[in-house]
Amino acid sequence: MVKTKRLCLLLLRLLAFGSTLSAAIVMATSHEKTNFFAVSVEAKYSNTPAFKYFVIANGIVSAYGLLVLFLPPESLLWRLVIALDVVFTMLLTSSISAALAIAQVGKNGNSYAGWLPICGQVPKYCDQVKGALIAGFIGVIIYTVLLLYSIHDVLDPLLMQKT
Amino acid sequence: MAPQDGRKPEVGDFISTPSAKQPKDWVLLLLRLLAFMATASATIVMALNKETKTLVVATIGNNPVKVTLTAKFQHTPAFVFFVIANGMASFHNWLMIVMEIHGHRIDYKGLRLAVIAILDMMTVVLASGGDGAATFMAELGKNGNSHARWNKICDKFDTFCDHGSGALIASFIGLVILLIINVKSITKLIKPNPAGNIGLLP
């Protein structure tokens, strides 16, 4: 029973590492060049600070996820892992909501501010950004589930002692 | 930790409601009050953020053509999310303050601390999401984006931008305080209050 739990946790952390890594890589390689009214328009992720923040945040969290995968199960560092999980989940959610906000402006524009949507001119770039955002969202959900599980895990021994 | 003998039924009762004689945690209460004030002020300042400006767009003959433009927070979904997230965070803080002051008798198998920790965590995550979106949207409004040909709007609507940045700063302060409170409630889960245990020993 304990072994299945440990295997399940390991699988979840592996999935989380995979999704954050793929989100960072897909966003970093999104690049498209096109001609718009005889003006060369180039769309890269580094044009927008929100997308740069998204790549950096997902890179940091995937490095952390890789390190935690190799942690031995009986180590004392698991308390630190719970605390760091909270911080990194917070980082992930803020990065994905920032990237989502800017991507929404890119797709729909903002008529009140006079901002035109750009997805019509660079559709491949928009699709790649969409894919990166979906992967990032999956990473956020998995990290939230892991965090809830950590709290439940810490709580269970306490419940056993009190009853 | 808990003696299983049945001679002293009061001890068992004491364990199931250890908070009956728990001293109020004044530091936590003060932190929650500060967080409530920060998030509530962020919500209110952003929700009342509105600026109307009349601009001269073109000149036909001798008459300038004037256009009245309004900047409201509802125009941007990021700011709407910011208001909603901070509103929910301040509601959570208010609920926690009320529970700290009045709800010490309500407990169910010790789940009270766990529910508080989980709710704190959810609120921290939600508030950080709202902050992130609003920060980068405000940065876009302030600097524009030359690659996408989006003009900056802060040079025309400076009061709107000032109020927005004030609300953002208040929200960040609230988020940091919420994070400290969350870490404190999680450590309360791991180490139960020693004051309750001292009462157990005769």
Side-chain angles (χ1 to χ4, degrees), chain B residues 58-90:
Chain B
T59 318
I60 300 181
N62 273 336
N63 304 329
V65 173
K66 290 203 175 119
V67 162
T68 310
L69 290 171
T70 318
K72 290 193 229 184
F73 84 96
Q74 300 109 310
H75 291 334
T76 322
F79 289 156
V80 173
F81 180 47
F82 175 79
V83 167
I84 292 176
N86 275 284
M88 288 182 65
S90 34

Side-chain angles (χ1 to χ4, degrees), chain A residues 52-89:
Chain A
K52 276 194 280 195
Y53 176 51
F54 181 77
V55 167
I56 292 173
N58 274 280
I60 292 176
V61 176
S62 35
Y64 162 75
L66 188 65
L67 283 177
V68 168
L69 275 180
F70 293 125
L71 204 63
E74 303 304 331
S75 160
L76 280 173
L77 282 176
W78 278 104
R79 298 258 170 105
L80 188 65
V81 164
I82 293 177
L84 282 179
D85 260 349
V86 175
V87 173
F88 283 126
T89 309

